């Protein structure tokens, strides 16, 4: 009986938390900035913190993933004598799937966890309370700039990741394994469509950005203001963020492929 | 027209099943310094948060400048808070900006002053708390007492109508304490600022307060002018002012029998 009760209670708590998160998102999205220049200055600061500081991990990961893909692709395709198609394989894999998904996972681990910890610590040190008591809405001053910065940065990081990955793959396939450069690029050009492959990848990245950044700012704002509470909230951000990315990826891929 | 800036009427507030306040009524007169004292855990900081609308009462009314706080919408509440300054117990300075920018923060948010005017105001406020030389330091470079003085400068930056001081004397050396007391008194006398002073420092608080409340057990146990409080015959007031461990105000948090607890080898938790 107790286990049924506790299951029911946790289900109710989850639904209530989801409801609060929904209201939270609506309030963040509907807030009115005090001035355009003030909002821009806050946004630029957050774009630097969330996006620019994530560049190193994105570029290095993109490079190595592209190189590994080039190597693996070459090994498999060479068995069928079609190693020239490695450029095609690289581009489609990175643009459609690996680019958005891996970038979002790295983003959740690096930027979103930092967002949760930062907001949580602001709550624990009463900085959010002091903003409220000064008549400054934390949604406007703290949450919205971080949320919007996440929406802007993740799609851009995804494009950078895919571009660097393709260059890494080109280095392995063309410079190292001596595939003809003309075949590498022309086959890629023939098979990649901007309106479907590139745009769909960016749309995926944007959807992942909404989910992960929303989770990150909400967890930070709702966390228990203790060191343990902040730690748990940061873990939840990474776990829930990663799972939501993978689940969303399946839904979006199914929707984008369309015909089965 | 009421002479009270804050008027709390029959207010109750619970944390879970525990009543922090039960049917309490309390007034903060305009332009006066009101001290709120009481043993630890009586909810003095909670009272300030209730006045500021960060917590909502379960019953009763809290009028802030004639507006009932629980009835205000989010926008109205943020508008009402512009009349308030609050010094938090921890200081609550923004750690990513300098002391100067912390004090300038409310001015930049709520006024259209030019940067040169803001600079002058900030320098004046920092001078008044003795931290003009620390303007460029980051909050992490300040001692606890200095951080609280910087937070005090920020709380009074806009010359709000009401300032709520949560333990303003904690962590201050005798010189700083004297400066802070003189500053609160000067603000009250020169611009008629209404002040609520939550503090454990009985002598200091009573020396500058116009009126004082002593809270305990979810209600007001004594109120009056500092002289009336000092000469109160109430046993609870005598115990609190004298700092006596034994008396009607319990030192221990509500618990089961000590001897019984010990006999049970810790199983009685």
């Amino acid at each position: 009986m107790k286990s049924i009760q506790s299951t029911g209670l946790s289900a109710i708590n989850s639904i209530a938390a989801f409801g609060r998160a929904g209201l939270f998102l609506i309030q963040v999205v509907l807030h009115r900035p005090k001035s355009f220049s003030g909002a821009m200055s806050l946004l630029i600061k957050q774009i630097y913190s969330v996006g620019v500081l994530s560049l190193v991990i994105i570029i290095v990961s993109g490079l190595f993933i592209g190189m590994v893909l080039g190597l693996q692709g070459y090994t498999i395709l060479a068995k069928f004598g079609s190693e020239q198609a490695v450029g095609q394989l690289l581009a489609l894999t990175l643009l459609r799937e690996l680019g958005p998904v891996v970038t979002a996972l790295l983003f959740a681990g690096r930027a979103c966890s930092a967002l949760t910890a930062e907001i949580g610590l602001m709550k624990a040190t009463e900085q959010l309370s002091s903003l409220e008591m000064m008549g400054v809405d934390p949604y406007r001053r703290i949450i919205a700039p971080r949320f919007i910065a996440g929406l802007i940065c993740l799609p851009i990081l995804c494009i950078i990741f895919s571009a660097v990955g393709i260059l890494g793959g080109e280095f392995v396939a063309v410079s190292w394994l001596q595939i003809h450069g003309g075949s590498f690029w022309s086959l890629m050009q023939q098979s990649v469509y901007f309106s479907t492959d590139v745009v769909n990848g960016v749309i995926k990245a944007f959807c992942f950005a909404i989910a992960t950044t929303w989770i990150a700012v909400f967890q930070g704002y709702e966390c228990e203001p203790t060191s343990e509470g902040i730690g748990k909230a940061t873990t939840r951000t990474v776990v829930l963020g990663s799972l939501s990315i993978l689940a969303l990826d399946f839904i979006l891929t199914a929707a984008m492929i369309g015909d089965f | 027209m009421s002479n009270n800036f804050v008027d709390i009427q029959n207010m109750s507030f619970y944390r879970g099943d525990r009543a922090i306040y039960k049917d309490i009524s309390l007034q903060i007169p305009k332009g006066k310094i009101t001290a709120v004292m009481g043993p630890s855990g009586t909810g003095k900081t909670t009272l300030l948060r209730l006045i500021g609308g960060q917590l909502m009462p379960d019953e009763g009314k809290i009028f802030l400048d004639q507006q009932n706080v629980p009835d205000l919408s989010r926008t109205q509440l943020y508008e009402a808070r512009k009349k308030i300054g609050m010094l938090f117990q921890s200081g609550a300075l923004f750690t990513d900006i300098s002391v100067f920018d912390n004090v300038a923060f409310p001015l930049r948010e709520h006024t259209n002053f030019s940067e040169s005017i803001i600079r002058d105001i900030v320098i004046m406020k920092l001078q008044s708390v003795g931290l003009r030389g620390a303007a460029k330091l980051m909050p992490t470079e300040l001692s606890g007492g200095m951080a609280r003085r910087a937070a005090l400068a920020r709380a009074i930056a806009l010359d709000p109508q009401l300032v709520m001081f949560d333990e303003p004397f904690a962590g201050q050396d005798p010189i700083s304490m004297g400066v802070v007391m003189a500053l609160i008194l000067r603000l009250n006398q020169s611009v008629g600022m209404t002040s609520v002073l939550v503090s454990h420092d009985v002598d200091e608080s009573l020396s500058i307060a116009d009126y004082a409340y002593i809270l305990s057990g979810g209600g007001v146990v004594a109120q009056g002018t500092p002289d009336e409080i000092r000469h109160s015959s109430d046993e609870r007031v005598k115990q609190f002012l004298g700092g006596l461990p034994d008396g009607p105000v319990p030192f221990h948090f509500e618990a089961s029998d000590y001897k019984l607890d010990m006999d049970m080898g810790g199983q009685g938790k």
Side-chain angles (χ1 to χ4, degrees):
Chain A
M1 194 64 187
K2 270 190 177 173
S3 65
I4 296 171
Q5 264 184 341
S6 66
T7 311
L9 186 66
S10 65
I12 290 168
N13 286 343
S14 303
I15 293 166
F18 196 71
R20 284 200 307 277
L23 290 173
F24 176 83
L25 181 66
I26 290 167
Q27 281 179 314
V28 170
V29 171
L30 294 184
H31 89 283
R32 229 180 311 156
K34 196 170 156 253
S35 70
F36 180 74
S37 59
M40 280 310 288
S41 114
L42 289 172
L43 184 61
I44 288 167
K45 194 176 169 191
Q46 289 310 317
I47 286 177
Y48 175 78
S49 158
V50 166
V52 177
L53 295 181
S54 299
L55 271 175
V56 173
I57 190 172
I58 294 296
I59 289 173
V60 173
S61 307
L63 187 70
F64 282 112
I65 286 180
M67 286 164 74
V68 169
L69 263 183
L71 205 56
Q72 291 278 16
Y74 176 86
T75 316
I76 295 165
L77 291 171
K79 289 179 185 169
F80 307 100
S82 49
E83 62 270 23
Q84 305 299 324
V86 72
Q88 181 182 351
L89 176 139
L90 254 174
L92 291 178
T93 313
L94 282 168
L95 291 170
R96 286 182 183 176
E97 283 301 329
L98 281 184
V101 173
V102 177
T103 308
L105 290 173
L106 292 170
F107 187 78
R110 208 231 59 109
C112 292
S113 57
L115 282 182
T116 303
E118 186 189 12
I119 296 169
L121 203 59
M122 289 178 92
K123 189 177 181 181
T125 53
E126 294 187 306
Q127 292 180 50
L128 293 183
S129 291
S130 71
L131 271 178
E132 286 176 0
M133 289 305 289
M134 274 189 254
V136 178
D137 192 344
Y139 287 170
R140 173 175 69 77
R141 193 75 175 57
I142 304 293
I143 308 296
R146 284 162 175 79
F147 180 68
I148 297 168
L151 302 192
I152 294 170
C153 291
L154 184 47
I156 296 171
L157 290 172
C158 165
I159 294 169
I160 294 170
F161 181 95
S162 298
V164 173
I166 290 169
L167 289 177
E170 192 255 8
F171 170 73
V172 169
V174 177
S175 308
W176 181 22
L177 300 170
Q178 303 298 312
I179 287 176
H180 188 257
S183 310
F184 181 89
W185 291 113
S186 64
L187 277 170
M188 189 189 297
Q189 199 178 359
Q190 277 171 26
S191 58
V192 173
Y193 293 96
F194 181 80
S195 59
T196 51
D197 301 316
V198 178
V199 172
N200 279 353
V202 173
I203 290 171
K204 274 187 179 180
F206 185 71
C207 294
F208 298 157
I210 295 174
T212 52
T213 322
W214 176 22
I215 289 169
V217 291
F218 179 69
Q219 289 295 338
Y221 198 76
E222 278 267 308
C223 77
E224 200 184 313
T226 60
S227 47
E228 192 192 4
I230 295 169
K232 280 182 179 172
T234 309
T235 308
R236 271 199 303 274
T237 290
V238 177
V239 172
L240 291 176
S242 304
L243 292 178
S244 64
I245 289 163
L246 297 172
L248 267 177
D249 185 44
F250 173 73
I251 295 166
L252 289 170
T253 305
M256 283 167 181
I257 290 173
D259 299 326
F260 297 103
Chain B
M1 190 82 175
S2 169
N3 282 327
N4 298 321
F5 198 87
V6 179
D7 189 357
I8 298 175
Q9 296 176 359
N10 308 106
M11 186 266 288
S12 298
F13 178 74
Y14 295 86
R15 282 199 194 278
D17 293 333
R18 196 163 78 95
I20 307 296
Y21 289 112
K22 205 162 184 190
D23 201 27
I24 189 174
S25 293
L26 186 150
Q27 288 76 38
I28 310 289
K30 268 183 193 162
K32 303 282 182 195
I33 300 173
T34 306
V36 177
M37 296 180 288
S40 299
T42 41
K44 299 184 294 297
T45 302
T46 304
L47 182 73
L48 299 186
R49 288 182 184 275
L50 284 159
I51 294 171
Q54 287 193 309
L55 296 171
M56 289 297 160
D58 293 294
E59 290 162 25
K61 292 179 175 173
I62 301 172
F63 288 99
L64 176 72
D65 199 19
Q66 319 289 329
Q67 293 176 296
N68 187 21
V69 174
D71 289 345
L72 297 178
S73 68
R74 189 178 166 86
T75 314
Q76 288 171 326
L77 187 58
Y78 275 94
E79 203 53 44
R81 282 175 182 160
K82 290 179 187 171
K83 302 172 195 166
I84 306 175
M86 181 161 171
L87 171 66
F88 283 81
Q89 234 176 71
S90 62
L93 291 172
F94 304 127
T95 46
D96 58 334
I97 52 177
S98 67
V99 169
F100 180 94
D101 288 330
N102 262 285
V103 181
F105 185 87
L107 295 162
R108 287 179 179 142
E109 280 290 325
H110 296 314
T111 70
N112 292 318
F113 293 161
S114 67
E115 272 303 308
S116 68
I117 293 176
I118 288 176
R119 184 186 174 279
D120 289 348
I121 296 172
V122 172
I123 293 298
M124 280 163 55
K125 299 295 178 189
L126 284 174
Q127 174 72 10
S128 67
V129 296
L131 288 178
R132 186 165 51 86
K136 287 182 181 165
L137 296 181
M138 295 302 281
T140 47
E141 296 173 277
L142 303 179
S143 71
M146 286 165 80
R148 295 169 60 75
R149 277 190 282 150
L152 176 58
R154 186 179 66 177
I156 59 171
L158 278 170
D159 290 331
Q161 295 175 50
L162 168 72
V163 186
M164 301 194 284
F165 301 94
D166 195 356
E167 298 290 356
F169 310 127
Q172 304 294 345
D173 61 67
I175 299 169
S176 307
M177 196 185 276
V179 169
V180 171
M181 281 167 63
L183 178 64
I184 295 171
L185 208 53
R186 197 168 66 240
L187 286 168
N188 171 252
Q189 288 166 351
S190 57
V191 293
M193 194 180 272
T194 306
S195 305
V196 184
L197 198 62
V198 162
S199 177
H200 285 118
D201 297 285
V202 175
D203 292 336
E204 286 76 11
S205 300
L206 290 182
S207 69
I208 59 169
D210 297 300
Y211 202 78
Y213 287 91
I214 296 186
L215 309 179
S216 182
V220 176
V221 295
Q223 59 175 297
T225 61
D227 270 348
E228 286 168 347
I229 294 287
R230 281 192 197 101
H231 298 109
S232 171
S233 56
D234 189 301
E235 286 302 317
R236 292 168 296 185
V237 177
K238 279 184 182 173
Q239 185 197 352
F240 180 71
L241 298 187
L244 309 170
D246 295 320
V249 180
F251 166 69
H252 294 281
F253 192 79
E254 218 171 287
S256 59
D257 184 71
Y258 183 39
K259 186 174 180 302
L260 189 71
D261 211 4
M262 293 299 286
D263 289 345
M264 288 173 77
Q267 289 171 30
K269 278 179 193 176

